[in-house]
Amino acid sequence: MHYKAFHKLSYGLYIVTSAFEGKKAGYIANTAFQVTSEPPQLAIACHKKNETTGVILKSGIFSISVLKKDLNLKIIGDFGFMSSSGLDKFSGVNFFIGQTGAPVVTSDSVAWLECRVVNSVDVGSHILIIGEVTDSDVLSDEEPLTYAWYRETYKMLAPKNAPTYLDNSKLEAGTITPEKTELPAPEPVHKTSTTQHVCTICGYTYNPEEGDPSIGIPPGTPFEDLPDDYRCPICNASKEYFKEI
Ligand code: FE
């Protein structure tokens, strides 16, 4: 099996939210899709260990916000790589309470759809939850974000709980191995201003040639010269979670 074929499937990226007895929860999903038009129904695939999954199953409601292409990456970090338990993911975003009672995020979104759960199917690690759309609206004519663009642009990995998570060994196992040739011994790696570092939590790569202009880190700044309180722009992990590539 060639696992890279899975990366040819097209998806968007969405914030899925719910609430039960005053507790709000949400996460980033790519597996959200329309399954019927009459009645209008959507499906989402939710990991059993995700905090939000339990909240959706207890409340029977959820909402989906369609993220825009030109978004602030912090929203991916907050909703995509942190657990809703013990963290108020909603403190930094705009949202309102929809007619079902689910919180509807409007930050960085081009549209939203609110649903009542009508069915669910246990599919092993995940639960496929089907909801009938009760309300929806368009917020902007901006271009929606696609998962492929996000993955290629930010060299991001899916979190391990994502239905589409593939570890690198599987991806590499499916590639064609070139004929073996005698190669010279690799040069020892020296730390230079061009050494890249990858976040071991989310897969974000810090490239010193690019820096991180969004927070005032100019191009040409080696990883070692980043301030001690530097944080991954995607998942908010601190410097010790980065390793050299
Ligand atoms: Fe990260």
Side-chain angles (χ1 to χ4, degrees):
M1 185 151 62
H2 200 311
Y3 282 94
K4 282 187 176 172
F6 289 89
H7 280 182
K8 299 299 183 189
L9 295 168
S10 298
Y11 303 95
L13 274 179
Y14 313 95
I15 297 183
V16 175
T17 63
S18 187
F20 182 68
E21 293 182 343
K23 176 183 172 51
K24 298 188 293 295
Y27 72 103
I28 301 284
N30 65 298
T31 47
F33 46 93
Q34 184 171 1
V35 289
T36 58
S37 63
E38 194 55 54
Q41 294 182 118
L42 305 179
I44 50 176
C46 307
H47 198 283
K48 289 176 179 174
K49 291 182 179 172
N50 270 4
E51 184 80 7
T52 308
T53 307
V55 176
I56 294 172
L57 293 174
K58 280 186 276 190
S59 65
I61 56 173
F62 65 92
S63 83
I64 294 173
S65 297
V66 182
L67 290 169
K68 64 181 184 179
K69 187 175 178 183
D70 182 21
L71 85 173
N72 182 345
L73 283 177
K74 189 175 182 306
I75 203 165
I76 300 267
D78 286 350
F79 278 88
F81 291 93
M82 306 287 176
S83 170
S84 289
S85 61
L87 174 73
D88 182 7
K89 296 183 175 186
F90 295 81
S91 61
V93 298
N94 296 322
F95 70 97
F96 67 92
I97 302 299
Q99 60 179 221
T100 63
V104 180
V105 174
T106 54
S107 296
D108 293 307
S109 301
V110 298
W112 57 266
L113 305 106
E114 201 180 344
C115 301
R116 283 196 185 280
V117 175
V118 294
N119 212 337
S120 63
V121 181
D122 189 324
V123 287
S125 58
H126 289 68
I127 298 176
L128 192 65
I129 297 175
I130 298 161
E132 182 169 343
V133 180
T134 60
D135 199 10
S136 64
D137 201 5
V138 174
L139 299 169
S140 154
D141 289 330
E142 289 175 83
E143 196 176 340
L145 178 62
T146 67
Y147 191 28
W149 188 87
Y150 168 78
R151 191 170 49 223
E152 291 305 313
T153 303
Y154 298 113
K155 304 287 183 272
M156 292 294 298
L157 306 172
K160 285 196 171 177
N161 284 358
T164 50
Y165 171 76
L166 288 172
D167 66 40
N168 278 336
S169 62
K170 280 185 177 173
L171 283 172
E172 286 157 10
T175 57
I176 298 163
T177 309
E179 281 185 39
K180 280 188 178 177
T181 52
E182 283 296 319
L183 294 172
E187 292 284 322
V189 176
H190 297 292
K191 285 185 183 177
T192 69
S193 62
T194 58
T195 302
Q196 297 186 1
H197 286 68
V198 64
C199 172
T200 56
I201 305 294
C202 73
Y204 167 79
T205 299
Y206 176 78
N207 182 350
E209 290 180 358
E210 295 172 1
D212 194 346
S214 67
I215 55 167
I217 308 287
T221 305
F223 183 81
E224 291 74 15
D225 291 352
L226 292 173
D228 290 342
D229 60 356
Y230 176 77
R231 294 266 173 179
C232 172
I234 306 298
C235 72
N236 209 34
S238 54
K239 277 182 81 175
E240 69 249 36
Y241 290 99
F242 282 76
K243 68 174 184 185
E244 274 183 49
I245 298 176

